């Protein structure tokens, strides 16, 4: 199996495909609904307005509010409030006053009026529960999150089958209070109940943020994996999942995610192509990295400039793809006044034992100049070695003498020269020995036999 297929298999294995109910993290595993899912509210007889005159006043107040005459409506409501002892009428009046106060962003008064409705307890249960939520929203307006949460919890203690929005609201209150752990279950339950794609996405985002704030990277990765399953074209989620897995030290999985994003066509910038190429190279697949850059060139995404060609050449070099590396360095050499690329070509030819070509490019590197001292030294050193392998000892010594004059290559050049000198000395000694033997044999042959 290829590296890419292995990476893809790793990623696919980490993505759950069975929906939100299977979304299991160390925090969601113990979540359960916070309110009753079945049952009926207790029957309660509501008396209605005892005084017909109060009812007529409320009709006028309704019209005033519909016409936007809020000041007049409020004055009439306060008049009834101060003169009536009818619990039902006072509950309705306080409901209206709470609404007006909330619209005016007077949250202290909203709390006061809404709590009075709850304390009077003269309305149907659903209306009382609605006012408990109203109290919670008023506390939220005051940024008193703890009291807002307390009232929402009272609401959940009594409500039957609350809407998804209430679970989401409770999660948001906990979030505002920085109580990330307690926010998770209402958000998770809301996610499991909702069927609206837009709501699902916002809840996934919330759950991810909560787990991330709790530094639960494994949970964050689980959520992001499912987000990618539902929203595969959202580039940001792929980037976040890649980042999370990288932070977790799961570099193979991180690369698999980035590779899958690449296969889907999500990466459309030179930076993204180069990031993917670098990751492949760092994972031990420099040839794959080179192919990514080549594709970027072909598609016009990665500019074919000096910097990017250097990157490509480096990848081919690391992959020991000599011909491709030489071709790329040759393009670079034509774009630069420096001899560094001719030097790289020389090294590749030397590795292939093509010593004549290696010498040619080492000479070109020195001629063009602008080399680092160490590269200049190694140009001479490798040139000397190449000449030696070709049997050109004089030329080898000449090049090695130049390498000897550079600090970084002095030691190696000296060793090479000593080696060549030793070879020459041995050869000279062998020659002398052969000549001596020849003379001895000739002398023996010239002596008269006895």
């Amino acid at each position: 199996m290829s590296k890419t297929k292995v990476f893809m298999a790793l990623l696919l294995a980490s993505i759950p495909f069975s929906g939100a109910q299977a979304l299991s993290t160390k925090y969601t595993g113990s979540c359960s609904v916070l309110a009753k899912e079945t049952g009926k509210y207790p029957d309660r007889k509501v008396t209605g307005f005892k005084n017909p005159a109060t009812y007529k006043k409320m009709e006028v107040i309704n019209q005033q509010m519909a016409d936007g005459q809020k000041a007049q409506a409020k004055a009439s409501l306060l008049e009834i409030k101060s003169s009536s002892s009818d619990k039902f009428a006072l509950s309705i009046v306080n409901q209206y006053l709470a609404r007006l106060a909330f619209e005016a962003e007077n949250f202290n008064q909203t709390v006061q009026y809404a709590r009075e409705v709850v304390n009077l307890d003269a309305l149907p249960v659903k209306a009382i529960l609605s006012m408990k939520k109203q109290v919670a929203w008023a506390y939220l307006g005051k940024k008193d999150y703890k009291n807002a949460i307390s009232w929402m919890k009272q609401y959940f203690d009594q409500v039957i089958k609350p809407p998804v929005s209430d679970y989401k609201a409770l999660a948001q209150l906990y979030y505002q209070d920085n109580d990330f752990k307690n926010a998770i279950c209402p958000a998770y339950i809301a996610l499991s109940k909702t069927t609206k794609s837009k709501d699902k996405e916002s809840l996934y985002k919330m759950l991810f943020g909560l787990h991330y704030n709790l530094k639960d990277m494994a949970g964050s990765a689980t959520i992001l994996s499912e987000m990618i399953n539902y929203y595969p074209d959202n580039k940001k989620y792929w980037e976040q999942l890649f980042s999370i897995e990288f932070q977790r030290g799961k570099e193979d999985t991180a690369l698999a995610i980035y590779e899958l994003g690449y296969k889907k066509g999500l990466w459309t910038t030179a930076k993204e192509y180069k990031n993917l190429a670098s990751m492949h190279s760092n994972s031990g697949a420099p040839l794959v990295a080179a192919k990514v850059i080549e594709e970027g060139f072909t598609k016009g995404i990665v500019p074919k400039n000096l910097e990017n060609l250097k990157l490509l050449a480096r990848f081919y070099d690391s992959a020991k793809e000599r011909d491709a590396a030489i071709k790329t360095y040759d393009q670079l050499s034509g774009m630069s006044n420096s001899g560094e690329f001719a030097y790289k070509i020389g090294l590749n030819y030397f590795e292939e034992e093509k010593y004549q070509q290696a010498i040619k490019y080492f000479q070109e590197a020195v001629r063009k100049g602008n080399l680092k001292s160490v590269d200049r030294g190694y140009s001479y050193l490798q040139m000397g070695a190449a000449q030696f392998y070709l049997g050109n000892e004089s030329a080898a010594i000449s090049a090695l003498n130049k390498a000897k004059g550079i600090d970084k290559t002095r030691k190696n050049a000296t060793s090479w020269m000593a080696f060549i000198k030793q070879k020459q000395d041995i050869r000279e000694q062998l020659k002398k020995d052969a000549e001596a033997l020849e003379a001895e044999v000739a002398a023996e042959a010239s002596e008269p036999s006895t």
Side-chain angles (χ1 to χ4, degrees):
M1 187 180 286
S2 70
K3 274 184 174 288
T4 298
K5 287 182 179 177
V6 170
F7 294 146
M8 291 175 73
L10 281 169
L11 176 61
L12 291 171
S14 72
I15 299 179
F17 289 100
S18 53
Q21 289 78 4
L23 181 63
S24 180
T25 72
K26 71 178 182 180
Y27 293 111
T28 63
S30 59
C31 289
S32 59
V33 290
L34 305 179
K36 295 175 184 176
E37 288 294 298
T38 58
K40 291 184 178 180
Y41 292 111
D43 290 330
R44 172 178 288 180
K45 291 183 180 180
V46 178
T47 58
F49 290 98
K50 292 180 179 178
N51 187 335
T54 303
Y55 177 76
K56 288 187 177 297
K57 285 182 182 179
M58 288 304 303
E59 284 185 321
V60 174
I61 289 167
N62 270 324
Q63 188 60 50
Q64 287 173 330
M65 291 183 72
D67 294 341
Q69 298 173 356
K70 294 182 179 179
Q72 294 92 321
K74 183 176 180 181
S76 298
L77 288 164
L78 289 172
E79 183 184 334
I80 297 171
K81 181 176 170 63
S82 64
S83 61
S84 177
S85 60
D86 178 358
K87 283 188 175 184
F88 178 82
L90 288 173
S91 295
I92 299 298
V93 164
N94 279 306
Q95 266 189 320
Y96 277 62
L97 287 169
R99 174 183 161 188
L100 288 170
F102 192 83
E103 288 174 355
E105 297 186 3
N106 188 333
F107 300 119
N108 285 326
Q109 281 192 358
T110 306
V111 168
Q112 174 193 330
Y113 295 133
R115 290 185 73 158
E116 283 191 52
V117 176
V118 173
N119 291 334
L120 285 165
D121 199 23
L123 298 179
V125 174
K126 284 188 176 181
I128 298 296
L129 289 174
S130 177
M131 292 314 295
K132 287 187 175 183
K133 281 204 291 184
Q134 184 78 54
V135 176
W137 302 150
Y139 276 120
L140 174 61
K142 295 172 64 175
K143 296 186 178 179
D144 182 347
Y145 304 119
K146 292 195 184 317
N147 268 315
I149 290 166
S150 174
W151 278 86
M152 278 301 287
K153 286 173 72 176
Q154 289 181 49
Y155 163 79
F156 270 96
D157 286 343
Q158 289 182 276
V159 73
I160 297 170
K161 202 174 183 179
V164 170
S165 58
D166 289 343
Y167 279 103
K168 186 175 180 180
L170 180 57
Q172 288 171 331
L173 287 173
Y174 276 122
Y175 184 86
Q176 292 288 343
D177 198 37
N178 293 322
D179 188 350
F180 305 127
K181 187 174 179 181
N182 278 319
I184 286 175
C185 281
Y188 173 75
I189 295 164
L191 176 63
S192 67
K193 285 175 169 291
T194 190
T195 57
K196 296 178 181 177
S197 179
K198 187 175 180 182
D199 284 346
K200 275 185 178 290
E201 189 165 13
S202 65
L203 287 162
Y204 272 122
K205 287 180 181 178
M206 183 186 289
L207 277 170
F208 166 66
L210 293 169
H211 282 78
Y212 189 79
N213 277 305
L214 289 166
K215 303 189 187 309
D216 178 9
M217 294 303 175
S220 298
T222 297
I223 294 161
L224 281 168
S225 294
E226 189 155 323
M227 289 170 76
I228 285 174
N229 181 33
Y230 279 111
Y231 314 103
D233 296 324
N234 192 311
K235 183 176 177 177
K236 184 176 180 182
Y237 300 154
W238 288 84
E239 291 172 335
Q240 288 175 324
L241 182 56
F242 161 76
S243 176
I244 291 291
E245 295 293 18
F246 198 83
Q247 289 178 59
R248 294 177 70 200
K250 293 182 173 291
E251 294 179 8
D252 282 352
T253 306
L255 174 54
I257 292 159
Y258 218 84
E259 176 69 21
L260 277 175
Y262 166 69
K263 296 293 184 187
K264 283 183 59 63
L266 294 175
W267 312 137
T268 57
T269 69
K271 182 179 180 182
E272 289 162 350
Y273 267 68
K274 288 162 73 174
N275 282 346
L276 177 60
S278 294
M279 283 187 283
H280 275 302
S281 180
N282 292 337
S283 74
L287 184 56
V288 178
K291 297 304 181 186
V292 170
I293 297 296
E294 290 276 22
E295 184 178 320
F297 287 162
T298 302
K299 290 182 175 179
I301 293 172
V302 180
K304 207 169 188 179
N305 55 26
L306 190 73
E307 176 191 343
N308 296 328
L309 280 168
K310 282 173 73 172
L311 191 63
L312 177 63
R314 179 163 62 81
F315 292 148
Y316 277 133
D317 230 342
S318 297
K320 301 192 185 306
E321 291 287 323
R322 304 290 179 201
D323 291 345
I326 288 168
K327 180 182 175 182
T328 310
Y329 282 130
D330 193 48
Q331 292 179 67
L332 285 162
S333 188
M335 298 166 65
S336 171
N337 293 324
S338 171
E340 64 174 307
F341 304 116
Y343 168 66
K344 296 287 189 182
I345 295 171
L347 290 176
N348 276 279
Y349 275 129
F350 188 91
E351 289 296 323
E352 288 189 317
E353 299 183 5
K354 295 180 179 179
Y355 299 123
Q356 290 286 11
Q357 293 98 317
I359 291 167
K360 173 188 170 184
Y361 281 97
F362 287 136
Q363 287 173 336
E364 182 180 331
V366 172
R367 179 180 56 77
K368 288 184 81 170
N370 294 320
L371 289 170
K372 295 176 184 176
S373 175
V374 63
D375 290 346
R376 184 166 169 270
Y378 273 101
S379 290
Y380 286 125
L381 186 70
Q382 300 295 81
M383 202 188 306
Q387 292 284 15
F388 173 76
Y389 291 137
L390 290 171
N392 304 323
E393 291 183 358
S394 295
I397 290 171
S398 175
L400 290 167
N401 264 321
K402 291 173 182 174
K404 189 177 175 182
I406 297 169
D407 288 343
K408 296 288 185 180
T409 50
R410 180 174 291 116
K411 184 176 179 180
N412 284 341
T414 301
S415 296
W416 259 106
M417 291 175 72
F419 173 71
I420 293 172
K421 179 69 167 59
Q422 184 182 38
K423 294 275 287 186
Q424 288 175 335
D425 288 346
I426 291 171
R427 194 164 55 244
E428 187 62 31
Q429 186 61 50
L430 287 173
K431 182 181 177 183
K432 287 179 180 179
D433 290 346
E435 288 174 351
L437 182 59
E438 233 179 79
E440 186 178 332
V441 169
E444 286 180 359
S446 64
E447 289 180 3
S449 57
T450 57

